Amino acid sequence: MTRLDVTVASLASEAKPLAPSFGLEFTNKQLATLVSEQFDELYSTLVRHKLLIFRKQDTSPQQLMQIAERLGEVQRYPFSSGIEGFPEIVEIRKEPDQKNVFSGVWHIDSTYLESPPDFTLLAAKQTPEVGGDTVFADSQKAFAALSEGMQKFLLSEKAEFISNKIQEAGNKAPHLVNFTDIAMANTFFSASHSAAKRHEESGIPGIYVNAEHTSRFTSMSAEESAPILDYLFSHITRDEFTARVRWENETIVLWDNRGLQHHAVNDYYGQLRVMHRIIVRSAMR
């Protein structure tokens, strides 16, 4: 039996839906205290519902790492050496006097890596009193709404993903604690992946090209690719595919990058926002 064979009825019944096609919010479930059988159910729930929100999680860095490690192989983010003692935990800060956000463009995390993360864990340490939400889009539902011809094209086509399409790496450094020489040297990463990916565990396809990191289709020039990519970038952000997560201190959100895209809303100038992030490669690969 795989993790996806585990029933999710009991866990899902404890949550409030975020949106019709994805997302569950829990108010009385402590991630750090789940036993193995409960975490198998949580894993299956995450893949099925794509995004899980947990409120009032007073977790230490060590506990965050333990949660992430139960999802799979924790990966290092190349532009930050992490917080003290925990190189895999990246602190993303936006100081009150900073105007730009870390990632305000629609994206899937780190698709420019040869082995991009399947899951992301984001923990809120300090949130604005108002604003600073994250908006998510269901890339699988968006794929299902495309024509059959476009679906076949995306599943058969590869695309090029680069880390510096929107901004050079060094421009992200002010938001990172302990940023690396890679960031300061404006080194960039690139990789080729399917334009639409069929989820390895659920089998459901989703749009994988994303506005922040996709430069072109592999078999086309950037100019030829642009009209199709622009259409897809607009398509995936349609209201019926999206939902907004409103952050509170001590909130942890887990999501599956194979089913969702997201971006941070930059509407809280003058307020501090501090998040701890871990990226994970699925243990089921």
Side-chain angles (χ1 to χ4, degrees):
M1 183 174 70
T2 70
R3 275 178 154 179
L4 285 192
D5 295 322
V6 177
T7 178
V8 299
S10 61
L11 185 61
S13 68
E14 301 177 41
K16 180 177 70 174
L18 177 69
S21 69
F22 72 95
L24 295 175
E25 180 172 343
F26 297 85
T27 55
N28 296 301
K29 180 71 68 177
Q30 290 296 312
L31 279 171
T33 62
L34 295 181
V35 299
S36 296
E37 292 79 7
Q38 292 172 309
F39 210 90
D40 285 343
E41 185 178 357
L42 181 139
Y43 185 99
S44 182
T45 304
L46 174 57
V47 171
R48 291 171 188 266
H49 293 273
K50 307 166 194 171
L51 181 145
L52 305 179
I53 305 165
F54 297 89
R55 304 293 186 185
K56 301 176 182 177
Q57 306 289 310
D58 185 15
T59 49
S60 66
Q62 183 175 357
Q63 288 173 317
L64 283 181
M65 281 296 299
Q66 290 171 345
I67 294 166
E69 287 168 347
R70 295 172 82 176
L71 289 174
E73 177 189 356
V74 174
Q75 297 176 283
R76 294 282 295 272
Y77 181 60
F79 300 116
S80 173
S81 57
I83 64 175
E84 184 176 358
F86 297 90
E88 298 90 353
I89 300 178
V90 174
E91 181 169 299
I92 303 172
R93 298 179 65 94
K94 183 175 182 289
E95 300 289 350
D97 62 346
Q98 290 179 304
K99 293 184 177 181
N100 297 323
V101 293
F102 181 68
S103 285
V105 180
W106 282 98
H107 66 284
I108 302 171
D109 284 336
S110 301
T111 51
Y112 48 78
L113 298 177
E114 290 294 336
S115 297
D118 298 316
F119 302 116
T120 297
L121 180 157
L122 193 60
K125 297 302 177 181
Q126 181 66 48
T127 57
E129 186 174 337
V130 179
D133 299 345
T134 301
V135 184
F136 290 85
D138 189 333
S139 59
Q140 294 175 340
K141 186 176 181 181
F143 179 88
L146 294 170
S147 67
E148 182 179 353
M150 181 64 81
Q151 290 177 353
K152 289 181 177 179
F153 168 76
L154 294 177
L155 286 171
S156 63
E157 184 71 18
K158 286 189 174 293
E160 303 302 313
F161 298 79
I162 56 176
S163 59
N164 64 339
K165 176 188 173 184
I166 302 298
Q167 59 181 213
E168 293 184 336
N171 294 334
K172 288 192 173 187
H175 296 285
L176 297 173
V177 172
N178 298 326
F179 50 85
T180 60
D181 291 341
I182 289 175
M184 292 309 296
N186 280 321
T187 301
F188 74 93
F189 294 82
S190 64
S192 175
H193 301 293
S194 296
K197 276 194 172 185
R198 195 175 296 278
H199 196 290
E200 294 86 356
E201 295 167 76
S202 71
I204 302 172
I207 299 171
Y208 203 65
V209 293
N210 60 91
E212 184 166 7
H213 299 312
T214 306
S215 60
R216 64 182 178 89
F217 295 108
T218 303
S219 65
M220 302 181 188
S221 68
E223 291 78 13
E224 292 168 330
S225 302
I228 304 174
L229 290 175
D230 288 345
Y231 166 76
L232 293 169
F233 300 156
S234 175
H235 172 75
I236 198 170
T237 63
R238 283 164 44 180
D239 288 345
E240 62 265 37
F241 305 144
T242 65
R244 179 181 290 241
V245 172
R246 290 178 169 84
W247 293 96
E248 301 169 359
N249 291 350
E250 298 183 346
T251 294
I252 294 176
V253 175
L254 308 174
W255 69 85
D256 192 331
N257 286 294
R258 296 164 292 181
L260 298 176
Q261 300 193 16
H262 67 282
H263 82 98
V265 180
N266 187 18
D267 61 351
Y268 56 100
Y269 178 73
Q271 302 179 77
L272 175 67
R273 186 177 186 267
V274 182
M275 315 294 278
H276 283 181
R277 191 187 76 166
I278 306 174
I279 53 176
V280 182
R281 186 79 163 165
S282 171
M284 303 303 291
R285 283 187 176 274

